[in-house]
Amino acid sequence: MTTPRPFGRALCAMITPFTADGALDLGTAARHAAGLVARGCEGLVLNGTTGESPTTSDAEKSALIGVVREAVGESVPVVAGVGSADTRHTVELARAAERAGADGLLVVTPYYSRPPQAAVEAHFRTVADATGLPLMLYDIPGRTGTRIEVETVLRLADHPRVVAVKDCAYDLLGSAKVIGRTSLAYYSGCEELNLPLYAVGGAGFVSTVANVAPEPLRAVLDAFDAGDTARAAELNRLVLPLTELMMAAGLPGAVTAKALLRAGAVRAPLQPAGREAADGLFRAYEELTARTDAGG
């Protein structure tokens, strides 16, 4: 069975650059997007958690989509995060993203209000019906407080514009069930599960770490696709120390990615990484670079 990959395999959950005074920095965004594509990212996801979407305005979100679309051209998939706690606002964001040039929509489960599964399903169907763009469902109960249950995903799979899932549920068994019973593309949203999910039929990843290290992450998939599973496992092991510091050491991914990129400010309530944390991040990044440049 051929794994569906509607947005490619290696997607970066891109940061949103700001200037020192907190304004949207579209020039840096365009350069960063083009650089990510040049380094092997096959698609870009904008206005997600890593993109600090809770603190950007609707107009800023559309402006970012437009400038990135222009920077990377029409051949690179641009997926726009349009999640909110309000179905009506999500629909507005989805339509604005379509007008701005997005190729797909990343739609998170409505957060905070903890809707039951029937309401979760209705939310996604309403958004899917609002535009002509394909949807990637975003299942991240650790942030939203609400899981997209397996049976709900299976029902949503019958909608022609629901084509993918960004999987941060930490439930490989549930993910494997859906992969085996539908044509949905499953993208890992947790770097430590990139290879395990890929091995059971996942489509690839949507990665924050790809902002700084897209080549090692993609190399894992390339080795697996070439049939060298031992090499894929070794390359995956090399990436784990940086992944742990960036994603599981107490600081949000937007903060750690911007520290490594020296990409400017984060917006409150986030704060920049402290000196000790930044030094640790740079040591892990330099070690990964040295090992992968030397062939692992």
Side-chain angles (χ1 to χ4, degrees):
M1 183 177 70
T2 301
T3 300
R5 297 187 177 97
F7 307 112
R9 296 178 311 159
L11 281 68
C12 178
M14 200 180 100
I15 62 161
T16 300
F18 303 122
T19 62
D21 63 359
L24 187 63
D25 187 347
L26 292 175
T28 297
R31 290 188 293 273
H32 184 50
L36 289 171
V37 172
R39 295 175 65 186
C41 290
E42 300 168 8
L44 301 174
V45 177
L46 310 179
N47 298 325
T49 308
T50 303
E52 298 177 71
S53 60
T55 61
T56 57
S57 69
D58 293 3
E60 288 174 325
K61 289 177 172 67
S62 290
L64 182 66
I65 296 167
V67 77
V68 169
R69 169 87 288 158
E70 184 175 357
V72 302
E74 296 295 326
S75 63
V76 177
V78 173
V79 180
V82 297
S84 80
D86 173 7
T87 300
R88 181 174 58 181
H89 187 207
T90 302
V91 166
E92 292 170 356
L93 289 170
R95 289 171 175 163
E98 184 175 40
R99 291 192 297 269
D103 299 298
L105 305 172
L106 176 67
V107 188
V108 75
T109 317
Y111 40 84
Y112 189 74
S113 57
R114 294 180 178 265
Q117 289 299 298
V120 169
E121 181 178 349
H123 172 82
F124 287 123
R125 289 188 181 276
T126 298
V127 180
D129 288 338
T131 79
L133 297 180
L135 262 64
M136 180 187 293
L137 310 178
Y138 189 4
D139 190 11
I140 183 166
R143 285 188 181 269
T144 65
T146 304
R147 175 79 194 274
I148 313 174
E149 299 292 348
V150 168
E151 292 302 317
T152 304
V153 178
L154 291 172
R155 290 192 298 272
L156 285 166
D158 69 15
H159 195 292
R161 282 188 292 281
V162 175
V163 302
V165 176
K166 181 181 177 184
D167 184 7
C168 292
Y170 289 95
D171 177 13
L172 277 174
L173 176 60
S175 300
K177 286 181 179 179
V178 179
I179 290 168
R181 293 173 59 183
T182 74
S183 61
L184 292 176
Y186 257 69
Y187 289 91
S188 171
C190 306
E191 280 84 355
E192 66 272 31
L193 294 182
N194 285 359
L195 181 57
L197 187 62
Y198 202 63
V200 297
F205 57 73
V206 177
S207 169
T208 296
V209 176
N211 279 282
V212 299
E215 299 94 341
L217 292 174
R218 178 168 171 164
V220 174
L221 306 188
D222 289 341
F224 190 90
D225 285 345
D228 192 345
T229 56
R231 177 65 174 163
E234 173 61 15
L235 291 171
N236 187 66
R237 184 186 66 79
L238 293 178
V239 178
L240 290 180
L242 180 62
T243 293
E244 184 174 14
L245 283 179
M246 287 188 67
M247 306 304 294
L251 291 176
V255 172
T256 57
K258 283 189 169 181
L260 283 166
L261 292 167
R262 297 185 174 93
V266 292
R267 283 186 175 169
L270 298 183
Q271 296 181 343
R275 178 64 180 271
E276 183 178 354
D279 287 347
L281 287 163
F282 277 105
R283 283 194 298 271
Y285 176 76
E286 289 163 2
E287 181 177 348
L288 172 62
T289 301
R291 293 291 300 276
T292 52
D293 285 350

